[in-house]
Amino acid sequence: MNHPLQPDQAGSLKHFLTIEGLKREILVSILDTAEPMTEVTDRSIKKIPLLRGKTVVNLFFEPSTRTRTTFELAAKRLSADVLNIAVDTSATIKGESLLDMLRNLEAMHVDMFVVRHPQSGAAHFIAQHVAPHISIINAGDGRHAHPTQAMLDVFTIRRHKPDFGALRIAIIGDILHSRVARSQIHALNTLLTGEVRVIAPKTLLPVDVESLGVKVFYNLRAGLKGVDVVIMLRLQHERMQAGRLPSEHEYYHRYGLTRDRLQLAKPDALVMHPGPVNRGVEISSSVADGSQSVILEQVSHGIAIRMAVMSMALDRTRAAS
Amino acid sequence: MTITTEYDITTALENLAQSLTIRLSSKQTPAIIGIHTGGVWVAEYLKQRLSGKIPLGTLDISFYRDDFSRVGINPEVRPSQIPFDIDDRHIILVDDVLYTGRTIRAALNEIFDYGRPASILLAVLIERDGRQLPITADCVGDRIALREDEQIKLSGPSPLNLEVVKLS
């Protein structure tokens, strides 16, 4: 058992902390529930009453625009009330004061915390200590996991190419520091993807990366050959300072996705990126804005996926599928 | 053990179509909305019967049910599809069976999230007793009196079949 906290005894999704260890059926039911949620956006009143009267707290210990706003929109479209709390990242949050904060919020009778934290394991820690009626959704913890991002990515892939068994998918960039990549790899393998590749310089790969169930390529051209989906990762500037890469220019030269290189993939290959995009660092503008790019679709799907996860987590009646 | 009794719905469908035709004669811009799943089948029949030109939409009211906290999410929710503008339209809302009225309450709420219709008219194939809300159908195919342990089951879309199922 990796994370016994996630599904409750009945097998329904109480917390959503990581994809690792979740059954394929749960992932598929998240994707299926998100499907009708996409249609809510087309209405004149973009709201459904599923979580009316529930209170969702966005608890962000790390700055984020896209993830926080899509969680907020998702909760609002489900008719929940939303409280945004950005905890000053410069202030040290000691274990004790974090728990104090939780107790205080619990006393306000909230129903869900959406947690982003720079430390791996923070969402699990909160889930272990929170009152039993509260659900925790991990919105990114350190290098560990970003499960809703991975779900919106596989949702986007499924809408274009539903047969995962037939797909070759390449994840390119800083795998070592990426919670997104880790969650994507778990999701893709759980959904029985034909082949998951990672393409990166050695300095940006975890030592035991093969154990995640991926094929490793150090050369971009070799790795791109014949893939159906290309997932680019954001290159964090601070990695350069840590001496893991010579320069942004050098990185683009060897690992940047350009139009020429994209032609090595299948002609209908999808180009994805979790955002925000560093144009001219990991991807060229012409590819990011090109006809194969589904980057903006990923953003809209993020709302539907988060609506699905939130309503499933607050649905305490559903039995395991 | 369940005992099922077949019921001939040809007459009920015909009654419903006729009663709707009369009500519709004065409406300028009608549109039909069927409630998943049985209501959509009946709506499709009515569309063909009345005039193929009337636009047809479908509603899945799962997100609007009043018992979410008791029964949870329906794992097989389908997207609602309203391929026309609701504003200022005369809507014919179609369901297979009118029972407690809760489904219709949810459907009315959902329709208003798409826009402000000129009017809504409720057409049901079968009306049975057991209403829990002040909701009445405008056009009815047939009325069936059922006992507590009896249920109506519609299967379709073609052929449309109706059975009275007795749970014993």
Side-chain angles (χ1 to χ4, degrees):
Chain A
M1 272 300 252
N2 274 310
H3 301 291
L5 272 174
Q6 285 200 274
D8 61 14
Q9 282 92 338
S12 64
L13 200 70
K14 182 183 175 188
H15 303 305
F16 193 48
L17 307 174
T18 176
I19 287 178
E20 195 179 357
L22 286 182
K23 285 193 187 135
R24 182 168 175 272
E25 291 71 44
I26 290 197
L27 300 196
V28 170
S29 78
I30 293 173
L31 298 176
D32 290 347
T33 308
E35 201 60 55
M37 300 289 187
T38 58
E39 160 269 327
V40 174
T41 308
D42 303 332
R43 305 179 176 192
S44 65
I45 295 176
K46 301 176 187 61
K47 247 186 201 310
I48 52 175
L50 267 190
L51 298 189
R52 201 165 147 253
K54 304 280 184 196
T55 306
V56 173
V57 180
N58 277 328
L59 199 54
F60 276 57
F61 297 88
E62 196 181 78
S64 152
T65 309
R66 185 173 338 210
T67 303
R68 190 190 54 73
T69 45
T70 49
F71 265 111
E72 182 174 351
L73 261 186
K76 286 180 170 168
R77 292 205 173 144
L78 291 168
S79 307
D81 296 311
V82 186
L83 201 60
N84 286 310
I85 301 182
V87 183
D88 186 0
T89 41
S90 62
T92 349
I93 305 294
K94 290 181 184 155
E96 201 186 356
S97 56
L98 174 62
L99 290 181
D100 271 346
M101 180 185 212
L102 291 181
R103 296 286 100 84
N104 276 288
L105 287 165
E106 281 166 9
M108 299 176 200
H109 300 281
V110 302
D111 301 282
M112 172 181 280
F113 291 136
V114 176
V115 180
R116 162 159 298 191
H117 200 288
Q119 268 178 326
S120 302
H124 284 80
F125 176 81
I126 292 175
Q128 269 160 350
H129 291 93
V130 82
H133 67 278
I134 296 180
S135 283
I136 306 297
I137 309 289
N138 185 1
D141 61 327
R143 297 182 190 187
H144 173 245
H146 193 353
T148 56
Q149 174 71 44
M151 288 312 294
L152 74 90
D153 294 332
V154 294
F155 184 75
T156 306
I157 296 170
R158 190 175 83 156
R159 285 198 130 196
H160 290 271
K161 298 168 188 265
D163 181 9
F164 282 93
L167 296 184
R168 251 187 226 141
I169 298 178
I171 306 173
I172 301 162
D174 184 0
I175 313 288
L176 178 62
H177 301 95
S178 175
R179 55 190 173 213
V180 174
R182 232 166 289 267
S183 288
Q184 284 167 340
I185 293 169
H186 287 305
L188 290 169
N189 282 331
T190 307
L191 292 169
L192 310 173
T193 303
E195 187 182 303
V196 183
R197 299 177 174 181
V198 294
I199 311 174
K202 260 190 190 139
T203 49
L204 294 182
L205 284 169
V207 205
D208 56 342
V209 63
E210 279 98 347
S211 68
L212 293 171
V214 294
K215 219 170 154 183
V216 181
F217 290 80
Y218 303 112
N219 180 286
L220 179 62
R221 289 181 165 272
L224 278 176
K225 254 178 215 141
V227 299
D228 301 273
V229 179
V230 186
I231 302 177
M232 303 305 296
L233 296 175
R234 176 179 164 78
L235 190 75
Q236 317 269 358
H237 297 285
E238 53 270 29
R239 305 301 168 227
M240 237 75 65
Q241 292 151 9
R244 292 187 178 271
L245 288 172
S247 72
E248 283 186 355
H249 182 73
E250 173 75 9
Y251 183 82
Y252 185 64
H253 181 64
R254 296 193 53 197
Y255 290 97
L257 187 65
T258 59
R259 204 173 263 187
D260 277 1
R261 288 169 176 171
L262 181 57
Q263 281 177 1
L264 295 163
K266 290 213 178 131
D268 65 339
L270 303 176
V271 174
M272 303 175 62
H273 192 299
V277 174
N278 286 318
R279 290 163 187 269
V281 178
E282 67 258 352
I283 189 167
S284 74
S285 272
S286 64
V287 174
D289 307 328
S291 58
Q292 284 166 263
S293 163
V294 291
I295 295 173
L296 292 177
E297 253 176 68
Q298 287 174 270
V299 179
S300 336
H301 291 163
I303 298 172
I305 279 289
R306 284 162 185 141
M307 287 169 76
V309 168
M310 286 173 154
S311 42
M312 285 170 76
L314 289 180
D315 166 6
R316 288 301 151 64
T317 52
R318 191 169 184 195
S321 45
Chain B
M1 253 303 271
T2 55
I3 304 159
T4 58
T5 318
E6 285 271 354
Y7 170 93
D8 180 16
I9 58 168
T10 334
T11 324
L13 282 169
E14 182 56 33
N15 287 345
L16 182 58
Q18 277 187 9
S19 135
L20 248 183
T21 314
I22 300 164
R23 295 292 294 257
L24 272 185
S25 55
S26 60
K27 310 282 188 203
Q28 287 299 315
T29 49
I32 307 178
I33 295 179
I35 301 174
H36 272 297
T37 306
V40 173
W41 298 334
V42 178
E44 274 161 358
Y45 168 85
L46 289 173
K47 176 187 160 85
Q48 280 182 357
R49 186 55 227 289
L50 297 171
S51 139
K53 282 182 212 147
I54 301 182
L56 175 70
T58 61
L59 277 191
D60 187 316
I61 54 103
S62 304
F63 292 149
Y64 288 78
R65 294 179 62 101
D66 55 13
D67 51 4
F68 171 67
S69 55
R70 279 195 279 164
V71 303
I73 302 182
N74 171 1
E76 280 151 35
V77 189
R78 288 132 303 199
S80 293
Q81 282 172 327
I82 310 288
F84 46 82
D85 202 356
I86 289 271
D87 286 338
D88 301 326
R89 278 217 188 245
H90 292 282
I91 304 293
I92 306 152
L93 179 61
V94 182
D95 205 359
D96 48 359
V97 180
L98 175 59
Y99 179 27
T100 62
R102 288 178 192 267
T103 300
I104 304 304
R105 197 279 311 169
L108 291 174
N109 283 8
E110 182 161 7
I111 288 173
F112 276 85
D113 281 352
Y114 281 90
R116 184 179 185 278
S119 70
I120 301 179
L121 187 154
L122 177 60
V124 296
L125 184 60
I126 303 293
E127 188 183 76
R128 63 164 292 185
D129 46 347
R131 215 81 63 248
Q132 293 165 357
L133 295 174
I135 282 170
T136 324
D138 301 284
C139 301
V140 176
D142 194 7
R143 289 183 176 80
I144 301 182
L146 292 178
R147 300 213 321 245
E148 279 277 302
D149 57 351
E150 289 177 324
Q151 274 184 356
I152 298 172
K153 208 181 129 208
L154 190 74
S155 58
S158 57
L160 266 180
N161 265 318
L162 201 144
E163 290 168 345
V164 175
V165 184
K166 188 179 172 193
L167 312 157
S168 57

